[in-house]
Amino acid sequence: HYSEQLEDAESHVERYKLTRVLQLSRMAEEGSLGAIRELRSLVEDAELSALARQKRGDGETKDEPIGKKEAAQRAAKDAVRGWGGLLEPGEYTN
């Protein structure tokens, strides 16, 4: 029940933001410098948020903490990949 209320609250916030942007765009079209500045600020904030999400991995959540052994195994796999396949297991001839 509480999760539904949270979803409703989020949708209300999104609707408010959209309404605000529409009002600002109408005011900007009429020549309001304050509205133009506020729209520019909102766009810059949105661009920064998008860049941050992209840097994190396109909307993926942060990685969960891992243990020392798992971290060492991942580091070893990454190190092997860094040698262009020279260290990968397989059959080799001299």
Side-chain angles (χ1 to χ4, degrees), residues 11-23 42:
S11 66
H12 287 297
V13 169
E14 292 299 318
R15 266 189 264 152
Y16 170 75
K17 287 179 183 178
L18 289 173
T19 303
R20 182 173 172 221
V21 169
L22 286 173
Q23 290 173 343
L42 290 173

Side-chain angles (χ1 to χ4, degrees), residues 31-42:
S32 170
L33 291 177
I36 293 170
R37 288 183 187 131
E38 184 66 22
L39 274 174
R40 185 177 299 150
S41 174
L42 290 173

Side-chain angles (χ1 to χ4, degrees), residues 70 72-89:
E70 179 68 22
Q73 288 175 347
R74 289 183 186 183
K77 286 179 184 178
D78 290 342
V80 169
R81 282 189 217 123
W83 284 81
L86 292 176
L87 299 177
E88 292 181 13

Side-chain angles (χ1 to χ4, degrees), residues 27-70:
M27 292 171 64
E29 288 175 357
E30 293 172 359
S32 170
L33 291 177
I36 293 170
R37 288 183 187 131
E38 184 66 22
L39 274 174
R40 185 177 299 150
S41 174
L42 290 173
V43 168
E44 288 173 357
D45 290 344
E47 288 173 349
L48 289 175
S49 295
L51 285 173
R53 280 192 305 274
Q54 183 180 14
K55 189 171 184 177
R56 265 197 326 258
D58 294 323
E60 293 179 7
T61 59
K62 294 183 180 179
D63 292 335
E64 292 186 21
I66 57 172
K68 293 178 192 176
K69 292 179 184 178
E70 179 68 22

